[in-house]
Amino acid sequence: CDPYVKVNVVDGDPMTEEAEKPEWYSKHDQWSGETAHREGTQNPVFESRLTTSDSGIRARSTTYVHFRVYDHESISTEDSAIGQAVVHIDDVLKDLWHNVKPVALAPFRQKTRP
């Protein structure tokens, strides 16, 4: 397993059925980034610092941080989806996520949060 995390700051709930459409992110994405791959592990720890551009992001009542974990596939053109987690931007701005904490992942296509 060679996991990595894609992180997006989006305006709108990424756990809706509408968000499964490919064009959804192009309309709602404020920022995106991803971690490096953690090669050969099934228990990855991601201690990565991802930074926004100088313009930053705009925190709105509908803004979420969407974490999607994938397994990098070296022999395939598409990486395998492992799971996802969503955090409302208000929780981030209140420093509720300042310390390292585990996050339960929901399967892709699940429309409720764990």
Side-chain angles (χ1 to χ4, degrees):
C1 192
D2 302 322
Y4 67 98
V5 181
K6 289 184 179 182
V7 182
N8 294 78
V9 177
V10 294
D11 289 326
D13 188 347
M15 297 289 279
T16 63
E17 284 186 34
E18 183 183 339
E20 291 181 18
K21 299 174 184 172
E23 65 274 5
W24 189 86
Y25 275 92
S26 63
K27 292 179 183 176
H28 295 86
D29 205 24
Q30 285 196 43
W31 177 86
S32 63
E34 68 181 55
T35 67
H37 302 165
R38 301 284 185 234
E39 293 188 27
T41 181
Q42 293 187 1
N43 294 306
V45 175
F46 296 99
E47 295 177 356
S48 300
R49 182 176 301 262
L50 302 173
T51 56
T52 64
S53 65
D54 290 339
S55 60
I57 62 165
R58 296 181 192 269
R60 300 178 175 102
S61 62
T62 58
T63 303
Y64 293 85
V65 182
H66 190 199
F67 301 91
R68 295 174 291 161
V69 181
Y70 291 89
D71 179 17
H72 177 67
E73 300 289 344
S74 58
I75 58 173
S76 175
T77 59
E78 190 171 319
D79 293 342
S80 299
I82 296 174
Q84 61 183 333
V86 176
V87 176
H88 195 276
I89 195 69
D90 284 347
D91 293 342
V92 175
L93 295 175
K94 292 176 187 172
D95 278 342
L96 298 179
W97 289 89
H98 176 71
N99 293 320
V100 176
K101 57 174 84 170
V103 177
L105 296 177
F108 282 84
R109 300 190 185 279
Q110 179 174 320
K111 298 305 162 215
T112 57
R113 291 173 183 78

